[in-house]
Amino acid sequence: MHGPVHHKRYDVVVIGAGSAGLAASISAARNGARTLLVDAGPSVGGELLSGLPLNACLSARGEWVVGGVVREMLDRCQAMGGLTPPYFDWRALWLVCVDPEIMKLVCPLMVAEAGVDLLLNTFAEDVIVEDGAVSGLMIHNKSGRSLVTAGVFIDCSGDADVAVRAGVLSEKGGEDDTFQPVTLIFRMQGVETGPLLDFVVAHPEHVALGESEHIAGMSKSECAGRLRAQGIPSVFFEGKSELLSRAIATGELAACGILAICPVSAARGEVSINTTRIADLDATNPDALSAALPRLIDQVWLASEFLRRSVPGFEGAMFSGLAPRIGIRETRRIVGMEVLNTADVLSGRKRPDGIGKGAHELDVHGKGKMHRREMIKDGGSYDVPFGCLVPRNMRNLLVAGRCLSATREAHGSARVMGTCMTMGQAAGTAAAMCATGQIGVSELSVGTLRDRLREQGAVLETNY
């Protein structure tokens, strides 16, 4: 039997406490809205806690394209000794890398300091829709069931769970049930940077280098030398290289498009590794996602042994950590008032209704070694229009994060954490303005929203 249903009332409710939800809830609260943040898991931060770099904080030219909550979070990490200063990977990207152990402290502190009410280990069980608006959200945790009502709801679940249950149209994956691979990030400690980078200089043919337009003309060897001089343990081994191809063929390594090594902590000699993958898995299917975990763990151990055996600098390294959950690149995308498309991304399109910048390359991983990558024109950035966060025919619902309205290819660029946090800040700010002003999300003046975002540190204009 069900117990009594409790009732909670807020101005703004955010579902999902990953990077987008973190920024959305903080921004909503700072803009005067009484805000609740709900997550099914035990922590705040999502992929921010995995050891992955925060992509698209800077363009390929090294220009900052994010501000506001993102920069504040990174400043906090730096003050606590948990930030590697931004650097170029001499492939195509500027990277921002953080210590996930420090990030585990920063994320909940920022949420609490903003005055956000937080409910962890809590599931959004059902969505109540009346007359084209979400009138309530049924949530469930160990205290029982509660009905949460609000002026505006923001779906930052990644999978568009709330939006879809509310009846919003969505698309999922690609044709023939293809999905970008799920991945389990892991960490290794005691890595020696010098020997690793010396190996890159001696064998640049194994490494992704010199791909960006603005360093065209530089050979792989020259880029390897610049990487070595930089002194940061950041290496992207190519899946099609002889080194990885041989290991894949002999079963020493699972098939992969890349084996990416990024710094986590200089003090601990620790790096994160991004290489494991299971493609074409629908991560909205709990059975399939759960069954993937032991398979991915097998790949983690295989990769760690391969690195110790075959890559200089890893001989004395040890396995030191696993991401708190499986990383999901792709599930659902809503159909919104606007649809970000491939041309928008690759041309670096600027537009008057932009609420933030995207700057990550078009990046669609596939099965095995398949990996489609295309660069943004001039190494610049593009605008994410507000309409990509606004579902059609729903007065008080917004989305932010990787469930935005986009084509599959454009989504491959916009799904990364820097852009997700930018969308989150915009959605949270818009939600507060609508909830306190009692207007529908599609009625909000985007010009007024842009002015508010600028005031709060968002980057809306760039040089490229």
Side-chain angles (χ1 to χ4, degrees), residues 334-345:
I334 69 154
V335 178
M337 300 294 291
E338 296 281 348
V339 181
L340 186 72
N341 64 42
T342 306
D344 295 334
V345 170

Side-chain angles (χ1 to χ4, degrees), residues 44 129 242 250 312 352 418:
V44 176
V129 177
E242 181 186 351
T250 59

